[in-house]
Amino acid sequence: VDKEDEESGYIYVLSSLSDKPEIANMHNLYKIGFSTRSVEERIKNSSQDPTYLMAPVKIIATYKCFNMNTQKFEHLLHRVFSKARLDLHVTGLDNENYVPDEWFVVPIEVIDQAVSLIISDEILNYEYDSLNSKLASKRLEP
């Protein structure tokens, strides 16, 4: 990164601090999101937002992005981990039902690996193996 590079936002990984058993007892549950402002600013009202499962959250990782569309980076991560997306309904303060779609049951090491593979343009050769909780090389069909 040098002075010509333009900051374009953050990719962040959060864990939930919910005390609801169905969330608190879930291992490797992480929200993958993006923000054009600081992550701390983005999550400050998490306990009132169904996107954050109506609970406080803890920042696990942040990746500062430069010279890119950070939202597309986030969408690519979501697509890679789509098989591990959390299927849960959350009731908001307005008593409406929401399905937060940015939460995934994936080990943090695998999320880190996916970020690295996206940066190196190698992600196209991998897919998420949800049975074994890892990124695996795609088999090329003859």
Side-chain angles (χ1 to χ4, degrees):
V1 178
D2 58 39
K3 61 184 176 184
E4 288 85 35
D5 290 317
E6 190 172 318
E7 186 177 317
S8 50
Y10 300 88
I11 294 293
Y12 59 82
V13 180
L14 309 173
S15 64
S16 179
L17 300 176
S18 175
D19 57 5
K20 293 181 180 177
E22 67 270 22
I23 296 169
N25 295 330
M26 197 171 298
H27 297 289
N28 295 320
L29 177 63
Y30 297 104
K31 180 186 187 308
I32 301 171
F34 92 99
S35 182
T36 56
R37 53 191 170 148
S38 77
V39 178
E40 292 79 8
E41 179 70 21
R42 176 80 172 101
I43 66 172
K44 70 180 181 181
N45 294 315
S46 63
S47 62
Q48 300 173 18
D49 190 334
T51 300
Y52 301 101
L53 309 178
M54 301 300 292
V57 292
K58 177 181 177 184
I59 299 171
I60 301 301
T62 57
Y63 308 91
K64 190 182 269 191
C65 301
F66 294 87
N67 308 324
M68 69 168 58
N69 183 324
T70 310
Q71 188 174 19
K72 286 184 180 180
F73 194 136
E74 176 208 40
H75 286 308
L76 183 52
L77 285 166
H78 290 181
R79 195 165 64 219
V80 167
F81 296 122
S82 63
K83 293 178 184 175
R85 189 179 312 271
L86 178 66
D87 182 18
L88 181 77
H89 294 267
V90 175
T91 304
L93 294 175
D94 58 2
N95 287 322
E96 293 291 324
N97 246 354
Y98 295 90
V99 180
D101 63 354
E102 296 184 339
W103 289 87
F104 303 87
V105 181
V106 177
I108 187 64
E109 309 82 42
V110 178
I111 296 170
D112 284 335
Q113 181 185 12
V115 168
S116 295
L117 289 169
I118 290 170
I119 292 168
S120 69
D121 284 335
E122 296 177 67
I123 196 68
L124 296 175
N125 301 320
Y126 291 85
E127 61 188 358
Y128 184 64
D129 175 354
S130 58
L131 293 176
N132 296 305
S133 299
K134 67 178 189 174
L135 289 170
S137 289
K138 289 182 181 178
R139 294 192 182 106
L140 298 176
E141 299 295 326

